[in-house]
Amino acid sequence: MATPSRKTSTPSSLASKRALPRDPSSEVPSKRKSSAPPAPPPLPLQSSRPFVEGSIVRIVMENFLTYDVCEVSPGPHLNMIIGANGTGKSSIVCAICLGLAGKPAFMGRADKVGFFVKRGCSKGMVEIELFRNSGNLTITREIDVAKNQSSWFINKKSTTQKVVEEQVAALNIQVGNLCQFLPQDKVGEFAKLSKIELLEATEKSIGPPEMHRYHCELKNFREKEKQLETSCKEKTEYLEKMIQRNERYKQDVERFYERKRHLDLIEMLEAKRPWVEYENVRQEYEEVKLARDRVKEEVRKLKEGQIPMTRRIEEIERQRYSLEARIKEKATDIKETSQKCKQKQDIIERKDKQIEELQQALTVKQNEEHDRQRRISNTRKMIEDLQNELKTAENCENLQPQIDAITNDLRRIQDEKASCEGEVIDKRGEKETLEKEKKSVGDNIVRFDNLMNQKEDKLRQRYRDTYDAVLWLRNNRDKFKQRVCEPIMLTINMKDNKNAKYIENHISSNDLRAFVFESQEDMEVFLKEIRDNKKLRVNAVIAPKSSYADKAPSRSLNDLKQYGFFSYLRELFDAPDPVMSFLCCHYHIHEVPVGTERTREKIERVIQETRLKQMYTAEEKYVVKTSFYSNKVISSNTSLKVAQFLTVTVDLEQRRHLEEQLKEINRKLQAVEAGLIALYERNKHLEHKDNELRQKKKELLERKTKKRQLEQKISSKLGSLKLMEQDTCNLEEEERKASTKIKEINVQKAKLVTELTNFVKICTSLHIQKVDLILQNTTVISEKNKLESDYMAASSQLRLTEQHFIELDESRQRLLQKCKELMKRARQVCNLGAEQTVPQEYQTAFQDLPNTLDEIDALLTEERSRASCFTGLNPTVVEEYTKREEEIEQLTEELKIKKVELDKYRENISQVKERWLNPLKELVEKINEKFSNFFSSMQCAGEVDLHTENEEDYDKYGIRIRVKFRSSTQLHELTPHHQSGGERSVSTMLYLMALQELNRCPFRVVDEINQGMDPINERRVFEMVVNTACKENTSQYFFITPKLLQNLPYSEKMTVLFVYNGPHMLEPNRWNLKAFQRRRRRITFTQPQ
């Protein structure tokens, strides 16, 4: 039964009818939005047993998915919800799940509850009324889209989701259990359940409440049992190791005590040794003190003996000072006389130098005169030779015409060279321009290649096998007769990469990486080599024999621009003809338009008016289908995925144009370079001819100017000769003057020599007097040195004695300090205070010990050697031995406790296992019996058993379903891969039916599980569902399907809910089921028999 509601785009209705399945009046429309209050649900035509505890009595939906307002009243047994695809059947399943605190993600549609509210509404509501003997339970869930939150109510009172979950769980409702609640999008996941998950779901669904609890307890007990076993094993091993270790250490402890006795004797010897050492040092101190006093007296006597020697040394020092002063006076006089001698010697040397200079000046003048006479002779000879050459010179007046002719030839050659160089400059400019163009074109080609490499890198990263096949194809194109295109994603070139998302969402990824062939034979050769030989996974397709690439669309784009469409998919990219033909044939890209956001805003109008099967808006893809049952238009939309491969745009036509342009530039460059070589050769020839003419002109000019040059040279030489003849010198007069000056200087020089001789005599006398004084001073110094030597010897003896005294005094102080330290150390060793005497026990022990250091050290060495024989021992051996003994006792006690606890857990496991495993085996046997019967009735085989590899691993127990649909095969375990989709659907349905009679849950929901079945299996399964779900003592059952086969068996206990969808639905206030039934009866009665 249902109350009015309305779908988003087209009206729809839902109606229910108990029994009378073949009466046309059972299909009664009842769904359209209205302001009038909803009509009360009609009562069932026939009474039935009451609802079981937790069954659904009523479902109310407001602004939920496709519904504005809708109320559904299911029956207590089998509820068949029938309607075409898209009318809102699964919306009722979603309402049951969300209304009973189910998670949105369990439906497999959306992960946020706000997505289940009807588009355009801010809030939605779902209300579920559950049957209870103590009073029905009404759960209301209000959904806020903006906050994506829900408000909960129980019997119209606000509550929390946790309270709702507790109330639902108390009624044993498990919307997350696929054995109880199997929505449309989760049908395939049932076969994916592992054996362990299936056992857990079955326990929760049909087992007693304590069965799953016992199973969980067993798993926990088993886990703790493993932990205890491991703990006991580890403690036992550790205890054995501790005992063994203590046994090994027992002998070490005995050796430790023996070593301790030696150490005690060593301690006593070390205590006596400081006292013996102190006594020895004290005696040494007394001896050093007496020796110091004797040396002190010797020092006093040595100091008194040095006084007379000091006085005599002072007297001699005064005498030496007097003699040294007189020696200095004589040295000063000698120095002054020597300086006067030196001055006279310097004057004599200067006079000698003057004589030498006069002689040199005379020699220079003589040489100059001789040189002048020689140059005059040479000049006269040169003049004579030039005059002879001038006489023999030829007449040069007839050379000017030849010079003019050569000048004209030179001017003409210069013009040709200038013209040639201009052409070279032009050619060079042209070459530079072409090279720049070549570089620019080359850079553009590299840029295109880089873009193509980007596409190939994406292909290599995502589909390595396809990439390897592309490389093979490029090296082996000669093996194919017709054209072979690389993968479509490489050959497609987007005109605007923003539109790449439309192409990638329209063409499947398998075809995007497919190779396109024009010949079946070529494709077989390719696949044999790539798939069979190289084991590469690649895709290949064949282009249509007749090209579809230029096929015109059925509708002009101008007609669609009013809706916001701007292009067909085909016009968004370029591709080779075979690729474009394949895409037009198989993907109809010439028929699929692309629109904008304006198209999405008008989408309902676009769907109704254009009748397009596929279209794209800015961010969505729309697919429009016509219902097979109602012939109504059904549309679906999906969001576009982001483009991954076609975002890189490479204009291949432009790249080919650039390659042709590059070839043309290279051809022009070759022509320009050939022209430059010819110009260089021509320029070289002109340069050679120019050099020859210039050489001829130079020779003619030299011949023409030679006579004038000779006349100028003769004139110049005559002038030079005249000047040299005028510059004369009288050598005799110069020699006489020089001789006179030399005589005068020699007279002065003789006078200076006499004065120098007198000064030398005076200096010699002063030197004799100085030597006498030095001899006297030497005698005084010798006496002084002897006295000082004696004094130094006495002083050395004194210093040695004083040093000896200091050393003895320091030794005395050191020994005194050492005595104090040794006394302090001896008291510290015996733990005595400053005023305490040595205890009697030490005195008694010291009497038995040696009294000398050598004896004590010898005994210490002996005892230490004995103690060192006990190696590997340390002071903590006894302590560790004792602690280990205590630890052994503690571990022994703990091990006893652990073993008692382990025995207790094993006993608990045995008890719980008996309470869990036996009922579980019986339950599985019942399921197996019913499951096998169901399969047998379908001429197939199936069985259910409890499977485990180890009986003690309770977390590995599971239910295994094995089926066989053909007599020629063996039983195979139900998996997502082995059976077909229809076989999995049949197996899933029969397993749920096997649970039906055993089920303790209040209701079960199965949504469109019959879609993959063939008609025979679907009919058999339907009969089993009706027979099983309509028996007494079974829970409520919801079976959702878009269609049913004809002439199916129905039961009086069934409730059939029809969901209609169409533009001619009645308003809610006009819906009256009883009036419809009366009208139907009148029509039936008035018809002729």
Side-chain angles (χ1 to χ4, degrees), residues 470-672:
V470 169
L471 298 181
W472 181 89
L473 175 63
R474 291 176 179 174
N475 295 327
N476 296 275
R477 288 192 178 274
D478 55 339
K479 295 184 179 182
F480 303 101
K481 297 178 180 179
Q482 296 188 28
R483 185 176 181 182
V484 179
C485 296
E486 293 182 358
I488 293 177
M489 67 172 62
L490 295 181
T491 56
I492 283 181
N493 185 52
M494 299 302 303
K495 296 179 179 178
D496 188 344
N497 54 17
K498 292 187 295 184
N499 297 324
K501 58 185 177 180
Y502 301 117
I503 307 303
E504 288 196 22
N505 280 271
H506 192 74
I507 304 172
S508 70
S509 60
N510 286 337
D511 284 345
L512 274 176
R513 57 191 177 96
F515 293 82
V516 181
F517 293 83
E518 292 184 337
S519 166
Q520 178 72 29
E521 182 181 353
D522 287 346
M523 186 174 77
E524 291 175 356
V525 171
F526 177 80
L527 293 179
K528 182 178 180 180
E529 176 66 27
I530 297 300
R531 288 185 181 173
D532 299 342
N533 298 341
K534 294 186 176 296
K535 306 300 181 183
L536 300 179
R537 293 175 295 177
V538 298
N539 295 335
V541 296
I542 297 182
K545 292 183 178 179
S546 57
S547 177
Y548 283 73
D550 298 326
K551 188 174 181 180
S554 59
R555 185 188 296 249
S556 173
L557 184 63
N558 293 329
D559 298 339
L560 300 177
K561 287 185 177 179
Q562 58 178 321
Y563 304 109
F565 293 108
F566 63 88
S567 175
Y568 284 105
L569 287 178
R570 182 176 62 182
E571 277 67 42
L572 297 180
F573 64 91
D574 295 322
D577 188 74
V579 175
M580 189 68 78
S581 179
F582 170 78
L583 295 177
C584 288
C585 179
H586 293 275
Y587 286 94
H588 307 289
I589 57 174
H590 61 295
E591 296 283 1
V592 180
V594 182
T596 59
E597 191 64 27
R598 187 159 63 93
T599 309
R600 192 188 67 80
E601 294 171 357
K602 300 179 179 182
I603 193 61
E604 293 184 6
R605 179 184 165 197
V606 173
I607 292 172
Q608 293 176 359
E609 295 180 2
T610 62
R611 297 291 181 177
L612 291 169
K613 294 181 179 181
Q614 294 186 68
M615 67 196 80
Y616 286 88
T617 62
E619 297 296 336
E620 293 176 325
K621 175 184 179 181
Y622 284 84
V623 178
V624 181
K625 297 181 180 179
T626 303
S627 174
F628 180 76
Y629 304 100
S630 60
N631 202 29
K632 301 301 179 184
V633 175
I634 301 172
S635 65
S636 63
N637 64 303
T638 55
S639 297
L640 297 181
K641 298 177 183 177
V642 178
Q644 297 180 356
F645 299 106
L646 303 181
T647 53
V648 178
T649 302
V650 180
D651 192 340
L652 297 178
E653 185 61 33
Q654 186 177 356
R655 190 185 185 284
R656 286 194 294 270
H657 175 70
L658 289 173
E659 289 178 347
E660 294 175 357
Q661 189 175 352
L662 182 63
K663 291 180 181 178
E664 180 64 22
I665 291 172
N666 287 331
R667 187 187 61 76
K668 290 181 179 179
L669 273 175
Q670 292 176 355
V672 169

Side-chain angles (χ1 to χ4, degrees), residues 986-1038:
V986 171
S987 302
T988 302
M989 195 67 190
L990 295 184
Y991 184 79
L992 296 179
M993 288 167 56
L995 302 182
Q996 179 67 16
E997 294 183 7
L998 305 174
N999 200 2
R1000 63 183 182 86
C1001 63
F1003 65 86
R1004 179 176 286 106
V1005 177
V1006 179
D1007 189 2
E1008 295 194 18
I1009 197 170
N1010 59 332
Q1011 290 306 294
M1013 301 181 190
D1014 58 77
I1016 296 175
N1017 286 334
E1018 183 176 358
R1019 183 177 298 277
R1020 291 173 179 173
V1021 169
F1022 183 83
E1023 292 176 0
M1024 294 178 190
V1025 170
V1026 173
N1027 294 333
T1028 303
C1030 293
K1031 289 181 180 180
E1032 294 295 335
N1033 301 323
T1034 58
S1035 57
Q1036 194 178 30
Y1037 201 103
F1038 291 87

Side-chain angles (χ1 to χ4, degrees), residues 101-149:
K103 304 297 182 184
F106 180 72
M107 303 304 301
R109 291 194 171 196
D111 56 351
K112 294 183 179 179
V113 71
F115 291 156
F116 289 88
V117 177
K118 181 184 175 185
R119 182 179 295 181
C121 298
S122 60
K123 289 186 178 181
M125 186 273 290
V126 175
E127 185 174 279
I128 307 292
E129 183 178 351
L130 302 175
F131 176 79
R132 284 196 312 188
N133 293 324
S134 60
N136 287 2
L137 178 70
T138 303
I139 299 174
T140 306
R141 181 174 190 172
E142 293 183 356
I143 304 170
D144 190 327
V145 176
K147 298 180 181 179
N148 193 40
Q149 294 178 350

Side-chain angles (χ1 to χ4, degrees), residues 794-976:
S795 297
S796 176
Q797 181 65 29
L798 178 61
R799 281 196 302 275
L800 290 174
T801 307
E802 287 177 342
Q803 181 67 29
H804 189 202
F805 171 79
I806 293 170
E807 290 174 355
L808 289 172
D809 190 59
E810 289 176 352
S811 178
R812 182 189 67 82
Q813 293 177 359
R814 185 173 65 256
L815 290 171
L816 179 61
Q817 182 64 29
K818 189 174 182 181
C819 285
K820 293 179 181 179
E821 291 175 356
L822 289 172
M823 174 62 74
K824 183 178 179 181
R825 178 184 169 196
R827 290 183 174 277
Q828 286 178 349
V829 170
C830 297
N831 295 322
L832 298 177
E835 303 297 332
Q836 288 180 318
T837 60
V838 179
Q840 186 62 36
E841 57 181 9
Y842 275 100
Q843 293 179 10
T844 303
F846 287 168
Q847 289 177 1
D848 299 331
L849 298 176
N851 294 321
T852 65
L853 286 176
D854 293 339
E855 292 175 346
I856 290 174
D857 291 340
L859 186 56
L860 271 173
T861 302
E862 181 181 354
E863 291 299 320
R864 284 171 180 165
S865 298
R866 291 179 179 177
S868 65
C869 293
F870 299 94
T871 58
L873 301 178
N874 56 67
T876 62
V877 170
V878 178
E879 182 180 355
E880 290 180 359
Y881 181 84
T882 305
K883 287 182 179 180
R884 201 174 291 114
E885 285 290 336
E886 295 174 356
E887 190 174 354
I888 287 171
E889 294 178 2
Q890 183 180 355
L891 279 174
T892 304
E893 187 64 28
E894 289 179 1
L895 187 58
K896 290 180 181 178
I897 296 173
K898 291 287 184 181
K899 287 182 178 179
V900 171
E901 187 177 359
L902 179 60
D903 294 338
K904 183 179 178 181
Y905 267 107
R906 286 173 176 169
E907 184 180 355
N908 291 338
I909 289 174
S910 178
Q911 294 174 0
V912 176
K913 179 180 179 181
E914 185 177 354
R915 291 196 295 268
W916 171 73
L917 188 57
N918 293 335
L920 177 62
K921 288 181 177 178
E922 294 175 2
L923 182 64
V924 173
E925 185 60 34
K926 291 178 182 179
I927 297 172
N928 179 50
E929 180 181 355
K930 294 183 179 298
F931 187 77
S932 299
N933 292 337
F934 288 145
F935 262 86
S936 298
S937 64
M938 296 176 62
Q939 287 79 45
C940 300
E943 66 176 32
V944 177
D945 62 357
L946 187 64
H947 179 266
T948 183
E949 296 178 358
N950 185 357
E951 188 176 350
E952 300 300 325
D953 291 338
Y954 304 106
D955 55 342
K956 302 294 177 62
Y957 274 77
I959 287 181
R960 179 173 60 179
I961 300 176
R962 297 195 298 166
V963 295
K964 180 177 74 170
F965 287 89
R966 286 165 290 278
S967 58
S968 60
T969 61
Q970 299 293 327
L971 285 170
H972 289 284
E973 185 175 346
L974 181 64
T975 64

